[in-house]
Amino acid sequence: MEKNSDYYLELLQMSYENDRTVRAIIRFSGLNEFFRHIISDPVKDIRLERSKTFFNELERGNILLTDEIIKSEDFLHKFYISYKSAINTRRREKIEMFARLLKSSFTKKIVRKVDVFEEYLKILEELSYREIQALVLLDSFYDTPKSDGENDLEWINKYWGDFKEQLQEKIDIHEEYINDFMVRLSRTGLYDTFTGQSYWSDTEAKGLLTPTFERLKDFALTKIEDQNNQQFL
């Protein structure tokens, strides 16, 4: 027998019976849209599991929201677009990132504005999980000491070889494709290559993470429990 949308929403509600905020979000946000009768049960089951991953991450934030906030147009819009992105994402880790981005819109002033939230959500949507891994891996090399008078390229050269080795070992990017992979990352606004800057030599696809990456890292990539020791996915 086909399970209707109420069946799935009841399962979600029961999963968060001790979290008033999450239950209120489920109640007011119109999730029936994602479990309609025209959607097959296997797809509904997948969406249920992805929904739980999303709400589990929301629950970890211990964030209390009033019904008035949850029913507001701005909140419902941000919830709807982030939830829609999450349930269309296969990687559990990335689903959690969408939830963290939504949580940041409650607690961080910059991303509370709907337009700014939409911009960061779009960036996160367009990133593959391997691209996120590569950016976070590169960021891990930023504690490499920089000497006085050393330019950016000289500093990057200190760790670039190790970075390329780890791209191959941890993310399975073959050496011959690394330059292409890193150049493609520049489309996101999170990574800026030295390509085309004539005063650099032997730049390959070397470059720098941008302030936009730093914000996205703060909004979505860093787990709450890891914010003090800067451990990332």
Side-chain angles (χ1 to χ4, degrees):
M1 183 178 69
E2 185 180 292
K3 304 167 188 174
N4 61 30
S5 60
D6 290 338
Y7 169 83
Y8 288 94
L9 294 186
E10 185 176 348
L11 283 181
L12 282 174
Q13 288 280 1
M14 290 172 60
S15 297
Y16 304 100
E17 59 183 357
N18 295 321
D19 191 308
R20 188 198 64 78
T21 296
V22 171
R23 285 175 62 86
I25 291 172
I26 294 170
R27 185 168 66 252
F28 292 127
S29 53
L31 299 188
N32 303 64
E33 170 72 18
F34 301 97
F35 297 95
R36 291 179 298 168
H37 70 278
I38 61 173
I39 299 171
S40 68
D41 281 354
V43 172
K44 291 176 187 175
D45 290 337
I46 290 171
R47 289 186 171 183
L48 177 64
E49 291 308 309
R50 292 176 181 179
S51 296
K52 288 181 178 179
T53 297
F54 183 82
F55 286 117
N56 286 346
E57 182 62 31
L58 280 185
E59 190 177 34
R60 289 189 190 103
N62 295 319
I63 294 170
L64 297 177
L65 300 176
T66 65
D67 288 355
E68 182 181 3
I69 291 174
I70 293 171
K71 289 189 285 186
S72 69
E73 181 180 357
D74 283 357
F75 174 82
L76 288 175
H77 176 70
K78 287 188 288 187
F79 171 82
Y80 186 88
I81 60 177
S82 55
Y83 176 77
K84 183 178 179 181
S85 296
I87 64 165
N88 288 316
T89 300
R90 186 183 67 83
R91 291 296 304 229
R92 176 179 175 274
E93 297 90 343
K94 194 172 177 185
I95 292 172
E96 292 173 345
M97 292 175 193
F98 286 118
R100 288 199 289 271
L101 181 61
L102 181 61
K103 282 191 292 189
S104 292
S105 75
F106 312 149
T107 60
K108 300 179 188 294
K109 185 176 180 179
I110 296 171
V111 78
R112 286 180 191 172
K113 296 180 180 178
V114 173
D115 290 346
V116 176
F117 180 85
E118 289 178 334
E119 290 169 5
Y120 281 95
L121 180 69
K122 189 67 173 177
I123 292 171
L124 188 55
E125 276 185 323
E126 293 180 351
L127 285 167
S128 71
Y129 186 62
R130 288 207 311 167
E131 288 175 329
I132 295 170
Q133 287 179 300
L135 290 165
V136 170
L137 176 62
L138 179 58
D139 185 63
S140 72
F141 285 93
Y142 268 47
D143 59 0
T144 302
K146 189 174 184 180
S147 305
D148 292 340
E150 192 172 54
N151 65 39
D152 287 336
L153 183 58
E154 291 169 335
W155 174 64
I156 290 170
N157 282 336
K158 288 180 176 180
Y159 61 74
W160 193 255
D162 291 336
F163 171 61
K164 288 173 65 175
E165 285 184 11
Q166 291 194 34
L167 280 177
Q168 295 172 74
E169 294 172 4
K170 295 183 177 181
I171 310 179
D172 195 26
I173 301 173
H174 294 177
E175 184 173 12
E176 62 267 33
Y177 299 119
I178 287 176
N179 283 354
D180 292 343
F181 182 89
M182 297 305 297
V183 168
R184 286 199 307 274
L185 272 176
S186 63
R187 82 187 187 283
T188 64
L190 305 178
Y191 178 72
D192 188 19
T193 68
F194 295 134
T195 303
Q197 300 183 20
S198 58
Y199 53 89
W200 298 106
S201 60
D202 188 28
T203 62
E204 301 179 35
K206 297 167 187 170
L208 294 167
L209 296 169
T210 68
T212 302
F213 169 79
E214 290 298 323
R215 283 188 171 177
L216 183 65
K217 180 178 73 174
D218 183 40
F219 296 154
L221 306 187
T222 310
K223 290 186 176 182
I224 286 178
E225 60 268 28
D226 294 334
Q227 285 179 344
N228 291 328
N229 58 18
Q230 298 294 286
Q231 294 175 5
F232 305 102
L233 294 174

